Amino acid sequence: MKKFNFRKVLDGLTASSPGGSSGGGSGAGGGSVHPAGTAGAAGTPRDEIQETLTSDYFQICKTVRHGFPYLPTALAFDPVQKILAIGTRTGAIRILGRPGVDCYCQHESGAAVLQLQFLINEGALVSACADDALHLWNLRQKRPAILHSLKFNRERITYCHLPFQSKWLYVGTERGNTHIVNIESFILSGYVIMWNKAIELSTKTHPGPVVHLSDSPRDEGKLLIGYENGTIVFWDLRSKRADLRAYYDEAIHSVAWHHEGKQFMCSHSDGSLTLWNLKSPNRPFQTTIPHGKMQRDGKKPESCKPILKVEYKTCKNSEPFVIFSGGLSYDKACRRPSLTIMHGKAITVLEMDHPIVDFLTLCETPYPNEFQEPYAVVVLLEKDLIVVDLTQSNFPIFENPYPIDIHESPVTCTEYFADCPPDLIPVLYSVGAKHKKQGYSNKEWPISGGAWNLGAQTYPEIIITGHADGSVKFWDASAITLQMLYKFKTSKVFEKQKQGEGKATAEIVEEDPFAVQMMYWCPESRIFCVAGVSAYVVVYRFSKHEVNTEIASLEVRLQYEVEDIITPEPEIIPPFPDASSQLPSLKSLSGSTNTVACEGTMKDSIPCLSVKTRPVRMPPGYQADLVIQLVWVDGEPPQQITSLAINSAYGLVAFGNCNGLAVVDFMQKTVLLSMGTLDLYGSSDPYQRQPRSPRKSKQFAADNFCMRGLSNFYPDLTKRIRTSYQSLTELSDSPVSLELERCKSPTSVKGSRKLSLPTDLKTDLENRENSFSRSRSSSVSSIDRDSKEAITALYFMESFARKNDSAVSPCLWVGTGLGMVLILSLNLPAGDDLRQSEPVMVSPSGTVLTLKGAVLTFACLDCTGTLTHPPYEVWRDLHSADDGEKTRKRKLVMHSPSSSQDMGDHQFAVICSEKQAKVFSLPSQTCLYVHNITETSFLLRADVVTLCNSVCLACFCANGHIMTLSLPSLRPLLDINYLPVTDMRIARTFCFTNEGQALYLSSPTEIQRLTYSQEMCDNLQDMLGDLFTPVETPEAQNRGFLKGLFGGSGQAFDREELFGEATAGKASRSLAQHIPGSGGIEGVRGAAGGVIGDLTRARIALDERGQKLGELDERTASMMASAEAFSKHAHEVMLKYKDKKWYQF
């Protein structure tokens, strides 16, 4: 543990405070804390701020994963517990039950899941993976764990089958052999069905891999084995020989039994279905090609695409259902993937939006030898999960209660709000409910297993996702669930782009012109602001009423200019400089991200998109109040927006890019400020460069920034790689490492916006350090290279703008890519009436603070160390039918501190950059504390958050570290190397929020939530849903005395006697290796050696013993019941035949 000593210097008064210890080392690059700065002015003595947070308050763990499982491969359903499992290509398993029951587990190997099999109503699951390993998962705990694993060494697993209420798992392999595994011990039996014993001796070719295994519904002692080349073997397990063999000249994909066990159906590679009878196996007694066209000359119908899977389900009171995927004719190449349902003579084809991965028919009974009575079909698609209702003739789908449509359009940005106003969730839900689709099944969602309760956590949480198509979705994220509340499309304010427009002179290369790049939400005033990839900002107000209105729009010209000759004397400029004079400018050699590359005519003063000019109908919810667009300048496109802030109390919105800053009054719909970054310094530029305002001359084009925190990666703008959203919006991309992403050529896609990082990490970081040291050089060459100073952070606040201020006033804090912090003074009209007519004045205050690296975030603390929130306007519905609501005055909340003492004497400003955090005392501008967060990496995200009624700074570093620092003293409280940034998606979407919560996009389709709060880690078990609930297994139907006597029942079949070690012997040790799992030891890794671990293990052992005793009791009761029934039947038979002579029988 590193010890840190702090000295606190406050306005010339020095006080010492005891040192704190860091939470987890300085793995992020050797953090250091030291007091800095000198006394600005003598102040009055003040008490030390007591910081309540310590490292004991922090612990990191993943909580829950939402969304559709990425790249699904397998599907299973427990018909008694009614839970569904989905396996993926990345080795993940998602288990779903009733809404709220959603569990994520991961195979450590990361191998793709080939097949899943539930131990029905046993609370266990078997997974078979592509690395030829079988795993047994214990689902009787909230976080499933692997009890046993079995790794095959010499053979590859192709198919598994576990009969209902059996403890012996049949495993088919690529070599054509069938092995048998004891589920309880996970040991291989010595009983093996070798392929050469199964097929006829006269057969000269290998039958291929095992593609199907199933026991006969009529006799459990008979096993049906399907081989890929078309061979079917009906194997007698007792006599160890084949009862019958069938051959077909087309490859088999799947097999399905009729419940009576006399017939089975096969699906084949030519799109055919064959129905076989066990009594005549020489040829199928029925062959159909459901989608094949009949030939005129009476020949066999033409071949179709393979039928990949078929299910044959019987009904007591109607015709059987035959359901299959694939099998469409080849001449319809453009047809979508489909599921076909054949019921009697009716054939229904359900077209899907995505390829079908797998499907399962849900039936009323788990017993394979009873009428199946199917009621639904679960269809797993590549990017969706749908459930079809079979009980209605038009086969409607069920309304899906899971949040699996997060990726409906690719997610481009996220925001997370914990502990927000409680009235927001019902309000958003009420406006969102009006847009729900109709036509769903009226039945309840059939996947209804597990149990879930709210738990102790009660504060409301909202997640907002921005998408590539311009849509914005609000989600209720309370109590670690996720439910869609409301969705609106930002693209509706713009005219639709005509694809054929101007093809002769233009090349359209922008795929997602409406992609959401940034979002800013004020929950209290319900004002929402979005910045799009095409350099526009839209301000939205919330209303419960529909309105027809025109959309107000403004155009802003932001360009960056530097004087050729740097004069030593500074020039003080007004906030609205004369834009008439023309000056030469420097132009970057890097490519610009044109949405339309024109030849001949030069674009000037036109935006990228066209705002609708006609009145637009706006439904209740978020309605566009103002659209602000940056315009082209002399053939150069506007640069993407890198920072955004809005304040409802001030009525202002501010945004910046690599050229400069714009401030807009959205109440009066006027542009207040449009300035190049250098112009903002005025006389305060430490290096006395000549500032110039925006001109109608050539723009200094520069690259866009792929995200906040990467803005200053290259000192050489001519070498900087352009950015885009392409890697975010391509769902098919596998996770790309930062190294790979950095190597993409800037010329690979002409004019596209490729979201990428520069080429080599190490050299980039070195360049970046050099860039910082030279960044404020006053030579012409360095301005050419380094002075493209992007606006990276903005913050509206009541603060002290200048050193000699005696009271707080409205300010805009501006942070740049070179670590400079500027404070702009906002002069607002005094009264509410004057606010609508009098102009707002924005002027640089002259205050300049410096940090190392691009500025990421700001916050203000009052003199007691309490977080001070920016002022806001209380929400009012401007379109309310109630006139009093419309005309009532604006109600502003200015957030005076909770303590009774006057806030006016001083406050703390917290500023965090990519490299370091600083705390300043205002108005003296003394730097009280500095913490160098990282030397070798850089921060991707930093947020000031509240936790346990206190406040801290949470940081996420590009090297994977998650850190928290106390405020105001910046003591390290937590530093854990937790999350490697394997692709840009994590870097782009990671965000912190209050109460120790955070999230990021773990795949293109899934949101991963995590907590850094020790309290939430401790309470997590109570919040998670139970996957297993005690449910009685339904009783088998009474088959009747004669049917049981003559029906060939397999009840007398003893697998234990046949497959056990005593009879079958031991399997070869080299064939498979048994690996014991971490088992049911749930949540005790941290306390493995301690008393808590021992107690937990003892509790689990007692639970398991209790479960086994319970099962023993059930079996004993069942045996007693069957013995009584047998005794009763025997007595009845005896009475019936007691007085009869032998010749009367």
Side-chain angles (χ1 to χ4, degrees):
M1 291 288 234
K2 237 178 177 181
K3 291 285 182 185
F4 292 92
N5 292 317
F6 304 100
R7 282 190 303 123
K8 198 163 189 180
V9 183
L10 190 58
D11 292 346
L13 188 84
T14 306
S16 60
S17 65
S21 58
S22 70
S26 55
S32 62
V33 183
H34 55 271
T38 55
T44 54
R46 296 184 184 93
D47 294 331
E48 191 78 23
I49 291 174
Q50 293 297 317
E51 294 177 3
T52 56
L53 290 180
T54 64
S55 56
D56 297 336
Y57 283 80
F58 296 92
Q59 174 65 44
I60 291 189
C61 69
K62 290 179 180 175
T63 53
V64 68
R65 184 172 290 209
H66 303 296
F68 182 75
Y70 184 52
L71 302 174
T73 53
L75 185 65
F77 183 72
D78 185 325
V80 180
Q81 285 289 320
K82 295 196 183 303
I83 56 174
L84 187 80
I86 299 172
T88 75
R89 202 183 300 172
T90 58
I93 298 175
R94 284 283 287 284
I95 302 166
L96 303 166
R98 68 176 67 244
V101 178
D102 184 345
C103 180
Y104 165 81
C105 2
Q106 176 71 44
H107 292 93
E108 285 185 12
S109 65
V113 178
L114 298 179
Q115 200 176 347
L116 294 169
Q117 289 262 303
F118 276 104
L119 277 65
I120 294 172
N121 206 25
E122 296 287 336
L125 176 72
V126 175
S127 59
C129 295
D131 60 349
D132 307 306
L134 295 170
H135 306 277
L136 179 65
W137 293 84
N138 176 17
L139 306 184
R140 293 189 178 221
Q141 55 191 50
K142 293 191 173 185
R143 286 192 179 247
I146 292 175
L147 291 167
H148 300 282
S149 298
L150 190 67
K151 179 85 165 67
F152 281 73
N153 297 322
R154 297 187 306 200
E155 297 196 52
R156 308 220 65 183
I157 298 169
T158 55
Y159 195 87
C160 299
H161 170 64
L162 181 66
F164 179 46
Q165 294 181 324
S166 164
K167 68 173 186 179
W168 298 94
L169 175 73
Y170 301 113
V171 182
T173 69
E174 199 172 42
R175 291 187 181 179
N177 303 324
T178 302
H179 300 277
I180 298 163
V181 177
N182 184 318
I183 286 296
E184 290 176 353
S185 62
F186 240 56
I187 293 172
L188 213 55
S189 166
Y191 192 114
V192 185
I193 305 170
M194 304 299 288
W195 68 271
N196 53 354
K197 299 280 178 65
I199 64 170
E200 283 184 318
L201 294 173
S202 58
T203 308
K204 294 180 180 178
T205 57
H206 189 280
V210 175
V211 294
H212 179 82
L213 292 167
S214 61
D215 52 335
S216 164
R218 196 177 183 194
D219 185 353
E220 293 173 347
K222 304 286 176 68
L223 185 69
L224 189 74
I225 308 171
Y227 295 95
E228 191 179 62
N229 75 346
T231 302
I232 298 160
V233 175
F234 196 49
W235 183 265
D236 189 328
L237 291 163
R238 298 182 191 85
S239 62
K240 300 184 181 178
R241 62 182 179 81
D243 264 11
L244 61 89
R245 299 178 179 91
Y247 300 95
Y248 194 71
D249 54 4
E250 292 291 342
I252 292 174
H253 282 285
S254 72
V255 183
W257 278 101
H258 186 283
H259 83 273
E260 289 178 351
K262 297 175 184 177
Q263 300 173 358
F264 60 88
M265 183 179 285
C266 300
S267 72
H268 301 277
S269 57
D270 64 343
S272 64
L273 295 172
T274 54
L275 197 59
W276 301 77
N277 197 315
L278 293 180
K279 290 182 178 177
S280 54
N282 295 329
R283 60 187 180 84
F285 76 85
Q286 185 181 324
T287 303
T288 56
I289 301 182
H291 295 297
K293 288 182 180 175
M294 293 301 294
Q295 306 287 2
R296 288 183 181 176
D297 51 6
K299 290 181 182 176
K300 179 184 169 185
E302 64 179 11
S303 294
C304 293
K305 294 174 184 176
I307 294 177
L308 301 176
K309 183 175 182 178
V310 65
E311 294 211 338
Y312 187 19
K313 301 297 180 183
T314 52
C315 304
K316 201 168 190 176
N317 301 318
S318 69
E319 297 284 323
F321 280 90
V322 176
I323 304 167
F324 61 88
S325 61
L328 296 177
S329 59
Y330 280 103
D331 65 343
K332 294 177 180 172
C334 60
R335 273 190 74 167
R336 296 191 291 178
S338 66
L339 185 82
T340 304
I341 301 172
M342 298 169 66
H343 188 217
K345 293 182 179 178
I347 298 180
T348 306
V349 178
L350 304 177
E351 290 193 337
M352 305 293 168
D353 292 332
H354 310 285
I356 296 171
V357 175
D358 198 359
F359 73 90
L360 285 173
T361 310
L362 309 189
C363 300
E364 297 289 354
T365 175
Y367 295 94
N369 57 357
E370 297 176 358
F371 280 104
Q372 297 298 287
E373 305 295 348
Y375 60 89
V377 184
V378 179
V379 189
L380 178 64
L381 309 176
E382 275 188 6
K383 294 175 186 176
D384 203 358
L385 176 75
I386 65 167
V387 182
V388 181
D389 186 354
L390 292 180
T391 61
Q392 297 180 46
S393 58
N394 59 337
F395 304 128
I397 64 168
F398 289 86
E399 184 175 7
N400 197 318
Y402 308 133
I404 58 168
D405 57 345
I406 290 170
H407 63 286
E408 187 178 16
S409 171
V411 177
T412 52
C413 61
T414 56
E415 291 295 340
Y416 191 5
F417 297 85
D419 206 8
C420 48
D423 59 334
L424 279 174
I425 288 175
V427 162
L428 289 168
Y429 182 79
S430 66
V431 294
K434 295 170 185 174
H435 304 295
K436 285 200 170 178
K437 294 177 184 175
Q438 304 298 317
Y440 291 113
S441 169
N442 53 11
K443 299 276 180 69
E444 283 191 11
W445 181 250
I447 304 161
S448 56
W452 178 77
N453 59 354
L454 272 169
Q457 184 182 317
T458 54
Y459 54 82
E461 299 170 71
I462 290 177
I463 291 171
I464 310 177
T465 54
H467 299 262
D469 66 350
S471 60
V472 174
K473 293 181 182 179
F474 289 77
W475 306 83
D476 176 6
S478 309
I480 68 169
T481 61
L482 195 71
Q483 183 186 5
M484 171 88 141
L485 290 173
Y486 170 61
K487 169 187 172 182
F488 71 94
K489 291 185 176 178
T490 61
S491 58
K492 286 191 174 179
V493 303
F494 299 105
E495 298 285 1
K496 286 184 180 177
Q497 290 188 314
K498 295 175 183 175
Q499 290 296 322
E501 195 175 33
K503 277 198 172 178
T505 57
E507 180 187 1
I508 295 177
V509 293
E510 181 56 71
E511 291 180 5
D512 298 303
F514 306 114
V516 177
Q517 190 171 13
M518 281 183 168
M519 300 178 294
Y520 197 100
W521 189 42
C522 176
E524 291 83 7
S525 65
R526 301 186 191 174
I527 282 186
F528 187 80
C529 196
V530 65
V533 77
S534 298
Y536 61 83
V537 170
V538 188
V539 178
Y540 288 88
R541 288 183 184 269
F542 188 85
S543 174
K544 294 180 181 178
H545 304 277
E546 184 177 308
V547 64
N548 257 310
T549 183
E550 289 189 7
I551 301 166
S553 65
L554 290 172
E555 292 179 359
V556 175
R557 190 180 178 91
L558 263 188
Q559 69 181 108
Y560 190 94
E561 273 191 55
V562 182
E563 176 78 61
D564 269 353
I565 300 162
I566 308 302
T567 54
E569 293 83 24
E571 180 189 334
I572 300 168
I573 58 159
F576 302 99
D578 177 24
S580 59
S581 59
Q582 299 284 328
L583 285 167
S585 64
L586 300 167
K587 186 175 177 182
S588 164
L589 297 177
S590 61
S592 57
T593 57
N594 306 34
T595 40
V596 182
C598 287
E599 296 170 11
T601 58
M602 181 180 283
K603 284 196 170 190
D604 188 62
S605 298
I606 59 167
C608 298
L609 303 169
S610 302
V611 179
K612 289 178 179 175
T613 52
R614 62 186 182 279
V616 177
R617 186 189 74 83
M618 297 183 190
Y622 273 103
Q623 299 167 350
D625 188 51
L626 176 65
V627 181
I628 310 155
Q629 288 182 285
L630 294 178
V631 296
W632 289 61
V633 181
D634 291 344
E636 292 294 342
Q639 300 300 296
Q640 285 181 8
I641 291 161
T642 55
S643 56
L644 177 68
I646 193 164
N647 188 282
S648 55
Y650 302 159
L652 303 180
V653 58
F655 57 94
N657 62 10
C658 60
N659 286 340
L661 170 72
V663 181
V664 172
D665 182 342
F666 65 81
M667 292 177 72
Q668 295 186 27
K669 312 287 191 289
T670 57
V671 180
L672 303 178
L673 182 80
S674 170
M675 254 190 200
T677 313
L678 284 183
D679 298 352
L680 295 171
Y681 289 100
S683 61
S684 305
D685 188 344
Y687 296 96
Q688 299 186 357
R689 291 169 294 193
Q690 179 70 41
R692 290 293 171 203
S693 59
R695 315 263 188 258
K696 290 190 177 182
S697 59
K698 279 199 178 271
Q699 184 190 24
F700 193 131
D703 296 294
N704 301 299
F705 297 94
C706 56
M707 58 197 196
R708 280 176 26 177
L710 295 180
S711 54
N712 190 25
F713 230 112
Y714 262 114
D716 236 356
L717 287 173
T718 56
K719 296 178 184 174
R720 189 178 289 166
I721 293 180
R722 294 192 311 262
T723 63
S724 89
Y725 275 83
Q726 197 162 1
S727 65
L728 275 171
T729 57
E730 288 176 0
L731 284 181
S732 57
D733 280 358
S734 56
V736 185
S737 71
L738 277 177
E739 302 304 322
L740 195 64
E741 195 67 41
R742 289 164 192 270
C743 298
K744 290 186 177 173
S745 163
T747 55
S748 58
V749 183
K750 184 184 176 186
S752 74
R753 298 194 167 127
K754 196 142 195 72
L755 183 72
S756 54
L757 283 168
T759 45
D760 179 67
L761 183 60
K762 188 178 176 186
T763 56
D764 282 346
L765 291 167
E766 287 170 1
N767 286 346
R768 193 161 180 186
E769 290 304 313
N770 297 337
S771 151
F772 176 75
S773 64
R774 295 193 312 263
S775 63
R776 308 303 290 169
S777 163
S778 59
S779 69
V780 176
S781 61
S782 81
I783 286 179
D784 181 16
R785 303 178 71 193
D786 294 324
S787 61
K788 283 295 292 188
E789 196 168 358
I791 307 295
T792 56
L794 294 166
Y795 187 63
F796 286 103
M797 190 60 212
E798 296 281 305
S799 185
F800 299 93
R802 299 170 184 85
K803 278 190 179 183
N804 54 0
D805 282 2
S806 58
V808 294
S809 61
C811 295
L812 172 61
W813 290 67
V814 181
T816 76
L818 298 181
M820 308 305 288
V821 176
L822 308 162
I823 305 179
L824 302 185
S825 289
L826 309 174
N827 191 356
L828 299 164
D832 196 27
D833 301 333
L834 296 174
R835 179 64 188 85
Q836 299 290 348
S837 55
E838 292 292 314
V840 177
M841 299 299 292
V842 183
S843 57
S845 66
T847 299
V848 178
L849 307 173
T850 59
L851 283 87
K852 187 177 180 183
V855 178
L856 293 181
T857 194
F858 298 104
C860 264
L861 310 180
D862 66 17
C863 55
T864 65
T866 308
L867 183 64
T868 310
H869 294 279
Y872 64 87
E873 176 192 353
V874 176
W875 175 75
R876 60 195 175 119
D877 197 335
L878 294 177
H879 300 130
S880 172
D882 179 14
D883 289 333
E885 176 82 11
K886 282 183 184 176
T887 56
R888 81 179 163 99
K889 288 190 173 183
R890 298 170 70 220
K891 183 181 176 184
L892 304 185
V893 178
M894 302 310 284
H895 275 298
S896 56
S898 54
S899 59
S900 58
Q901 65 189 91
D902 183 24
M903 177 188 170
D905 67 348
H906 83 287
Q907 64 180 188
F908 300 104
V910 182
I911 308 172
C912 186
S913 75
E914 296 170 326
K915 295 285 187 180
Q916 65 180 188
K918 284 187 179 183
V919 175
F920 292 90
S921 175
L922 299 179
S924 67
Q925 298 176 14
T926 306
C927 180
L928 299 178
Y929 298 103
V930 182
H931 181 73
N932 292 317
I933 297 168
T934 175
E935 297 294 338
T936 58
S937 187
F938 56 94
L939 293 188
L940 295 166
R941 180 85 185 206
D943 290 295
V944 174
V945 292
T946 56
L947 177 70
C948 301
N949 296 319
S950 193
V951 63
C952 65
L953 175 65
C955 309
F956 175 50
C957 196
N959 60 13
H961 283 251
I962 292 176
M963 293 161 278
T964 58
L965 305 172
S966 73
L967 290 175
S969 66
L970 298 177
R971 282 179 300 115
L973 299 172
L974 173 80
D975 185 352
I976 293 181
N977 187 1
Y978 190 73
L979 181 66
V981 184
T982 50
D983 59 39
M984 286 297 301
R985 194 174 294 106
I986 296 172
R988 179 80 197 174
T989 57
F990 194 99
C991 54
F992 294 100
T993 188
N994 298 329
E995 306 304 333
Q997 303 226 55
L999 67 78
Y1000 62 93
L1001 222 66
S1002 56
S1003 75
T1005 62
E1006 295 166 290
I1007 287 174
Q1008 176 68 57
R1009 288 164 71 179
L1010 53 94
T1011 181
Y1012 50 94
S1013 158
Q1014 180 69 59
E1015 183 185 6
M1016 189 166 177
C1017 288
D1018 295 341
N1019 296 332
L1020 188 58
Q1021 286 299 318
D1022 299 331
M1023 299 165 70
L1024 294 171
D1026 288 294
L1027 296 173
F1028 179 80
T1029 51
V1031 179
E1032 284 284 327
T1033 303
E1035 288 187 13
Q1037 291 175 2
N1038 190 356
R1039 304 185 67 201
F1041 181 70
L1042 290 174
K1043 201 166 186 181
L1045 200 63
F1046 303 112
S1049 168
Q1051 298 301 314
F1053 176 59
D1054 188 354
R1055 293 188 179 92
E1056 183 68 46
E1057 185 183 332
L1058 199 58
F1059 303 145
E1061 194 176 313
T1063 310
K1066 288 185 177 179
S1068 168
R1069 284 189 177 183
S1070 61
L1071 185 61
Q1073 173 191 1
H1074 176 259
I1075 306 162
S1078 57
I1081 310 300
E1082 179 187 16
V1084 295
R1085 287 182 181 175
V1091 179
I1092 297 170
D1094 294 336
L1095 285 170
T1096 309
R1097 279 190 286 274
R1099 179 177 59 76
I1100 290 164
L1102 281 170
D1103 287 348
E1104 290 174 355
R1105 184 168 176 264
Q1107 286 165 10
K1108 286 176 181 174
L1109 284 171
E1111 289 166 10
L1112 188 63
D1113 285 346
E1114 287 170 13
R1115 286 180 190 169
T1116 307
S1118 173
M1119 287 170 68
M1120 285 177 68
S1122 61
E1124 284 176 16
F1126 181 74
S1127 169
K1128 187 180 174 184
H1129 282 301
H1131 188 65
E1132 286 171 0
V1133 171
M1134 185 266 290
L1135 291 173
K1136 187 176 182 181
Y1137 299 113
K1138 184 173 70 171
D1139 298 326
K1140 292 192 177 184
K1141 304 295 181 187
W1142 65 269
Y1143 51 80
Q1144 291 175 314
F1145 281 98

